[in-house]
Amino acid sequence: VLFLDTGKHFGETLDYRDRLIEDLGLTNLRIVRPPESALARNDPAGLVHGRDPDACCAIRKVEPMARAVGPYRAWFTGRKRFQSDTRRALPVFEAVGPRIRINPLAAWGTAELAGYMRSHDLRENPLVAYGYLSIGCFPCTEPARPGEDARSGRWAGRAKTECGIHLPGLERSLASSPAV
């Protein structure tokens, strides 16, 4: 299991991660972080998200994720079609360069997710109770707006809808890495 630690997660998300590790008995969790040298060079004050959220995501998400999945032929995501209009046609299998990205929950709705979590006694990120239906980094995430999709709180007020790990930038980064 890979966990992408951007350095900008809510404390609740990090606590949730640690509790899931205990609940599930995970023993081989890999925490992936942006390189300190990239942060020092491109975001020394940790504020680039405010003026250039794409650059922040490139440093804190896209590059670390490309590095993390680079050695593998395939990886799984938790993306779902109901989360936003931009994900409505999300396929279960996607080619990303020479690799396959698998979205096993693509067709699941909120009822299926809630039922599965209940029947398997899985905990929920505590921020969901406060209206955060899609949880990213704290500077760029707020509760979902009533009547809008689950991702409406991500980069609210900006044209941005994805961080980039599911966009062509990741594919370009992976193109130079051989899959094993």
Side-chain angles (χ1 to χ4, degrees), residues 88-103:
R88 191 133 343 263
L90 181 68
V92 174
F93 297 95
E94 298 175 274
V96 181
R99 294 167 183 80
I100 303 295
R101 179 170 42 216
I102 305 163
N103 305 298

Side-chain angles (χ1 to χ4, degrees), residues 148-169:
E148 293 195 15
D149 68 49
R151 291 182 56 81
S152 68
R154 302 291 291 274
W155 306 284
R158 297 181 182 259
K160 186 172 180 64
T161 59
E162 294 282 349
C163 65
I165 61 175
H166 305 299
L167 298 176

Side-chain angles (χ1 to χ4, degrees), residues 11 16-17 35 37 82 97 113-114 130 171 173 175 179:
Y16 173 65
R17 174 202 63 197
S37 59
F82 77 84
L113 288 169
Y130 297 102
E171 185 172 349
S173 295

Side-chain angles (χ1 to χ4, degrees), residues 84-179:
S84 69
D85 286 339
T86 59
R87 294 182 175 185
R88 191 133 343 263
L90 181 68
V92 174
F93 297 95
E94 298 175 274
V96 181
R99 294 167 183 80
I100 303 295
R101 179 170 42 216
I102 305 163
N103 305 298
L105 307 177
W108 287 34
T110 55
E112 291 92 350
L113 288 169
Y116 186 89
M117 289 180 76
R118 251 189 325 277
S119 68
H120 291 85
D121 200 26
L122 296 172
R123 54 177 85 232
E124 178 175 81
N125 186 313
L127 292 169
V128 172
Y130 297 102
Y132 291 87
L133 305 181
S134 178
I135 304 165
C137 297
F138 68 82
C140 299
T141 306
E142 59 187 49
R145 295 183 209 117
E148 293 195 15
D149 68 49
R151 291 182 56 81
S152 68
R154 302 291 291 274
W155 306 284
R158 297 181 182 259
K160 186 172 180 64
T161 59
E162 294 282 349
C163 65
I165 61 175
H166 305 299
L167 298 176
L170 181 72
E171 185 172 349
R172 283 190 296 275
S173 295
L174 287 170
S176 60
S177 304

